Amino acid sequence: MINVMASSVLNAPVSSVWGLIRDFGALGLWLPGVKSCAIEGDDPGDRVGAIRRVEMGDVGVIREQLLALSDVDHAVTFSIIESALPIRNYRSTITLLPITDGDRTFIRWRGQFEASAEHAASMEARMPTHIYQPAFDRLAEILALRETRS
């Protein structure tokens, strides 16, 4: 199993960040490269078991399933159930923790997956640098815009 992780500090309270993260169907708002994102069927974006269909510009369609969502722990866990990426058994958790000094948020995205030997190193490098960190950067931009508007 390959384990990957990225973390960052966002200059906004957990409640503001959680409002963006907890809706499983809103990934397209804060993950760069998403062409479209929608929850399949009639499930709401916070129902455990919901499946989202994400169309990414560089890898095509990815289908993911929401495995757990906690408003208490500010954590969301999901798995990839269909993808053209050269990985299998992908599962990840995004967790938010309050930083009380300045009312900021520590965000951590941890993933694990399996990959063939020929793709393992490239996918291990890709996840934190080309997916997780750009998502954090976009979240920071969104939150900064909201702050300047209020």
Side-chain angles (χ1 to χ4, degrees):
M1 207 43 104
I2 297 168
N3 292 291
V4 292
M5 192 270 301
S7 63
S8 191
V9 173
L10 302 172
N11 289 318
V14 166
S15 59
S16 297
V17 183
W18 185 238
L20 294 166
I21 300 291
R22 86 176 299 279
D23 182 354
F24 193 57
L27 180 74
L29 299 176
W30 53 269
L31 183 65
V34 173
K35 287 184 168 181
S36 68
C37 178
I39 300 294
E40 296 179 357
D42 296 326
D43 285 334
D46 61 354
R47 182 185 161 276
V48 172
I51 296 174
R52 71 180 170 202
R53 184 182 188 280
V54 181
E55 184 179 355
M56 299 291 292
D58 62 341
V59 295
V61 173
I62 299 173
R63 293 178 68 234
E64 299 173 320
Q65 185 170 33
L66 181 60
L67 301 177
L69 182 130
S70 173
D71 287 321
V72 173
D73 296 327
H74 299 105
V76 58
T77 300
F78 58 94
S79 64
I80 291 178
I81 56 176
E82 181 183 319
S83 170
L85 289 169
I87 60 173
R88 59 192 177 281
N89 298 323
Y90 177 88
R91 179 184 174 121
S92 71
T93 300
I94 300 171
T95 305
L96 307 178
L97 296 167
I99 298 174
T100 55
D101 178 20
D103 202 17
R104 297 175 294 158
T105 300
F106 177 81
I107 184 169
R108 180 183 66 207
W109 192 339
R110 298 174 84 173
Q112 62 180 30
F113 56 89
E114 296 173 24
S116 65
E118 69 183 277
H119 296 290
S122 66
M123 293 309 297
E124 185 174 13
R126 176 191 172 107
M127 292 296 183
T129 59
H130 296 294
I131 298 173
Y132 302 173
Q133 190 59 52
F136 299 160
D137 295 343
R138 181 66 183 130
L139 284 165
E141 291 171 13
I142 292 167
L143 294 161
L145 282 172
R146 288 183 177 181
E147 180 64 26
T148 59
R149 290 181 184 159
S150 57

